[in-house]
């Protein structure tokens, strides 16, 4: 039996020298150093995608969102000089663009760079259970973004009955226009108050029958409806003067 002396054990435990690599203090490498030590382009791209790409995309997305928000706030807003809503009449953009062009030419209105005259024949198909279209129409009315409504008689009647939607033409039309269109009057009772089911006994002039006009004869061939069309001015319209111009144009009556 051989017994090791303490000196032998100590000698065994200190076989490595003090300057061995295992004892050397290691400084952590920076990401830039690690990247620069990569030899090939493929390795560098792989490293970039693994450690930097997601962060870079997140930064770019945040920057793009910030730019969009700033642009939305500071950019000029389009302003409607007149917006005509075709409710339950469907027209595509080509005929409605021609309507706008013809109205602008006849009325002498010259829209500025951010001013719009729009005949909207796509947005307001409210009948047939389309809740979204009805909600959009109501929202645009409340936001004062619609000036005039053209609709089949049954649809127009529903909105005319609501006293908050259509204006009384007796109060809105100039005397000459009111007298000239007396045979076109659309009369309706009006709900007495918000939430009430009772109607007033008095009938109000809230619309005009549009059939038999050259305008309707030209465009009614594009739709399927046997009901008489009615046009009216929205109660809270911001552009009632241009809405009156619209009626003169539709019925081919000269301006004073």
């Amino acid at each position: 039996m051989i017994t090791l002396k303490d000196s032998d054990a100590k000698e065994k435990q200190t076989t490595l020298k003090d300057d061995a690599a295992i004892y050397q203090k290691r400084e952590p490498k920076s990401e830039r150093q690690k990247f620069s030590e990569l030899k090939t382009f493929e390795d560098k791209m792989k490293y970039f995608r693994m450690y930097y790409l997601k962060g870079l995309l997140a930064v770019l997305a945040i920057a793009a969102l910030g730019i969009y928000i700033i642009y939305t706030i500071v950019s000029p807003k389009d302003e409607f000089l007149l917006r005509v809503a075709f409710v339950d009449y469907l027209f595509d953009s080509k005929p409605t663009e021609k309507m706008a062009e013809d109205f602008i030419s006849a009325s002498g209105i010259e829209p500025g760079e951010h001013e719009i005259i729009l005949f909207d024949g796509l947005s307001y198909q409210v009948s047939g259970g389309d809740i979204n279209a009805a909600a959009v129409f109501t929202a645009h009315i409340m936001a004062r973004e619609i000036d005039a409504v053209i609709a089949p008689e049954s649809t127009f009647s529903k909105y005319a009955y609501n006293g908050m939607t259509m204006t009384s033409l007796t109060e809105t039309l100039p005397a000459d226009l009111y007298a000239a269109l007396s045979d076109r009057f659309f009369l309706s009772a009006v709900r007495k108050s918000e939430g009430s089911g009772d109607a007033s006994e008095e009938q109000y002039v809230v619309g005009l029958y549009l059939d038999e006009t050259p305008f309707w004869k030209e465009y009614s061939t594009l739709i399927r409806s046997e009901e008489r069309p009615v046009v009216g001015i929205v109660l809270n319209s911001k552009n009632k003067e241009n809405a009156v111009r619209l009626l003169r144009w539709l019925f081919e009556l000269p301006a004073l």
Side-chain angles (χ1 to χ4, degrees):
M1 179 175 178
I2 301 174
T3 303
L4 294 175
K5 298 179 181 179
D6 290 342
S7 59
D8 294 334
K10 291 177 181 179
E11 185 66 24
K12 188 73 173 178
Q13 294 171 3
T14 58
T15 304
L16 297 176
K17 296 181 180 179
D18 292 339
D19 61 351
I22 195 173
Y23 296 127
Q24 298 301 310
K25 185 177 180 181
R26 297 174 181 265
E27 294 290 340
K29 294 182 179 180
S30 66
E31 295 298 326
R32 181 178 293 182
Q33 288 176 318
K34 293 178 183 178
F35 186 78
S36 63
E37 290 176 359
L38 297 174
K39 302 299 183 183
T40 66
F41 178 78
E42 288 86 2
D43 290 340
K44 290 183 178 182
M45 288 302 298
K46 188 182 296 183
Y47 187 89
F48 176 81
R49 287 195 296 269
M50 184 178 298
Y51 294 101
Y52 294 108
L53 184 58
K54 290 183 179 179
L56 178 61
L57 291 177
V59 171
L60 291 176
I62 294 172
L65 179 61
I67 292 172
Y68 173 77
I69 292 173
I70 293 173
Y71 175 80
T72 302
I73 293 173
V74 303
S75 61
K77 303 295 187 298
D78 290 335
E79 179 181 356
F80 288 108
L81 297 182
L82 178 71
R83 184 170 186 167
V84 182
F86 285 100
V87 182
D88 285 341
Y89 287 134
L90 185 62
F91 293 98
D92 62 29
S93 59
K94 189 173 181 179
T96 52
E97 286 173 2
K98 183 178 183 302
M99 294 174 194
E101 291 170 0
D102 290 346
F103 172 70
I104 290 171
S105 177
S107 64
I109 297 174
E110 296 182 2
E113 184 178 357
H114 296 284
E115 295 176 330
I116 297 174
I117 290 177
L118 176 66
F119 287 71
D120 192 339
L122 295 173
S123 302
Y124 311 115
Q125 311 310 307
V126 303
S127 295
D130 191 337
I131 299 175
N132 290 333
V136 168
F137 178 68
T138 301
H140 286 181
I141 290 286
M142 294 178 66
R144 305 181 69 190
E145 294 180 356
I146 297 176
D147 302 299
V149 170
I150 298 175
E153 186 173 3
S154 62
T155 301
F156 194 95
S157 296
K158 296 176 184 177
Y159 289 103
Y161 178 78
N162 181 350
M164 299 299 292
T165 304
M166 308 308 300
T167 192
S168 169
L169 297 183
T170 304
E171 301 172 359
T172 304
L173 296 185
D176 72 301
L177 194 56
Y178 189 82
L181 297 174
S182 59
D183 60 339
R184 302 281 187 154
F185 287 169
F186 172 85
L187 303 176
S188 175
V190 176
R191 190 173 60 183
K192 290 182 178 179
S193 61
E194 188 72 19
S196 171
D198 297 329
S200 61
E201 295 181 2
E202 185 176 357
Q203 299 279 310
Y204 295 90
V205 181
V206 292
L208 299 166
Y209 286 107
L210 191 58
D211 51 346
E212 302 307 319
T213 63
F215 170 85
W216 195 248
K217 288 179 180 179
E218 178 179 356
Y219 291 106
S220 62
T221 58
L222 303 177
I223 59 175
R224 295 180 180 179
S225 177
E226 296 182 0
E227 287 192 59
R228 299 183 72 184
V230 182
V231 59
I233 298 175
V234 176
L235 180 63
N236 66 352
S237 165
K238 294 187 293 186
N239 302 297
K240 285 186 178 178
E241 185 176 341
N242 285 339
V244 170
R245 286 194 178 102
L246 170 73
L247 297 183
R248 290 189 181 278
W249 174 68
L250 289 173
F251 292 94
E252 297 191 327
L253 296 173
L256 292 179

